[in-house]
Amino acid sequence: MTVTQDLSFITLITNASIIVQIVMAMLLCVSLMSWNYIFRKRFAIKKARIQTEKFEREFWSGGSLNELYKSLDHRREQSGALERIFGAGMNEFHKNRATAGTDSAAMLDGARRAMRAAYQREMDALDSHLSFLASVGSVSPYVGLFGTVWGIMNAFRGLANVQQATLAAVAPGIAEALVATAIGLFAAIPALVAYNSCTHDIDRLAIRFESFVEEFSNILQRQGR
């Protein structure tokens, strides 16, 4: 076999020690899971952004808020995060208004609390699995480094039975070990980039949700007078 064949990627993996192979297998599994979460999270954020923009156009179009609230019942399954926040506020506001003796301040406070609770639920849903991506991005390089250190240690231990230590004798073992670090970086870099990108997009959505809660609270305050 030629040197190129000996140091091919598949050969390096199959010839690695069992510990290094276990590390590689773990990193590949984690990488596949992170890519699954990356695609799911990107689609979820894109869908939330489109739904938010659509509802904002409807909300600020000048139509009746009561009619908009009633229309939510017919499209509850297709409703977005901002629609659910709006629905929670309107539902609580109507309940408090129907209760005799409830002043405007109590109605507004109840609607604001309901919208805040709905806001927290929506943010928890958007933030799901981001901690996994952050963990993959921070831990994977060290797991790969562990596999590399173990592999290099075995490569040098193998020199004990060799009368003349040469680079050709130790090169395959070191190359096998370095594959673990390469796979660790392959798992970590996309996860870290996706985490930063998704966090930025979710923060922008959170700002829009919070602004809507404040603006809608002002509208409810004027209606409650």
Side-chain angles (χ1 to χ4, degrees):
M1 297 179 64
T2 64
V3 175
T4 302
Q5 291 173 326
D6 288 341
L7 298 184
S8 64
F9 190 77
I10 301 299
T11 303
L12 292 176
I13 294 177
T14 56
N15 290 341
S17 65
I18 186 64
I19 298 297
V20 178
Q21 288 180 342
I22 291 174
V23 170
M24 292 179 184
M26 290 175 54
L27 290 173
L28 286 175
C29 291
V30 168
S31 178
L32 291 175
M33 292 177 61
S34 66
W35 277 108
N36 175 49
Y37 289 141
I38 287 170
F39 284 115
R40 288 172 57 185
K41 189 58 59 179
R42 294 311 309 174
F43 286 135
I45 293 174
K46 182 179 180 180
K47 182 179 179 181
R49 183 168 59 247
I50 293 174
Q51 290 174 330
T52 298
E53 293 172 353
K54 179 181 177 182
F55 181 74
E56 284 179 337
R57 288 193 298 268
E58 294 179 356
F59 183 84
W60 297 111
S61 62
S64 171
L65 294 181
N66 290 326
E67 292 298 326
L68 181 60
Y69 173 63
K70 292 178 182 179
S71 68
L72 295 181
D73 293 332
H74 304 291
R75 54 181 183 181
R76 188 171 299 276
E77 295 182 356
Q78 292 80 25
S79 62
L82 196 58
E83 290 176 279
R84 290 188 286 270
I85 294 173
F86 165 77
M90 283 292 288
N91 183 53
E92 188 67 22
F93 184 77
H94 285 164
K95 286 182 179 179
N96 291 334
R97 173 175 278 185
T99 303
T102 304
D103 58 14
S104 59
M107 288 190 295
L108 178 61
D109 186 57
R112 187 189 293 272
R113 288 200 306 269
M115 286 190 290
R116 282 291 174 185
Y119 165 82
Q120 290 298 333
R121 288 193 297 269
E122 298 301 332
M123 294 308 302
D124 287 341
L126 287 174
D127 287 335
S128 63
H129 304 308
L130 283 183
S131 59
F132 176 81
L133 294 179
S135 298
V136 171
S138 60
V139 175
S140 292
Y142 296 103
V143 176
L145 183 61
F146 167 76
T148 296
V149 171
W150 188 275
I152 291 176
M153 181 179 65
N154 285 338
F156 280 105
R157 285 174 59 189
L159 293 179
N161 299 324
V162 178
Q163 294 181 352
Q164 184 178 1
T166 62
L167 182 60
V170 76
I174 295 178
E176 294 165 7
L178 290 175
V179 173
T181 296
I183 296 177
L185 293 175
F186 176 78
I189 293 174
L192 188 58
V193 171
Y195 171 79
N196 291 332
S197 176
C198 291
T199 300
H200 175 262
D201 292 340
I202 291 174
D203 287 343
R204 294 183 63 182
L205 283 173
I207 292 173
R208 296 174 72 169
F209 294 165
E210 290 177 342
S211 299
F212 174 82
V213 170
E214 295 302 320
E215 292 168 343
F216 186 43
S217 296
N218 293 334
I219 294 175
L220 292 179
Q221 185 177 17
R222 290 192 295 269
Q223 289 187 354
R225 292 175 180 175

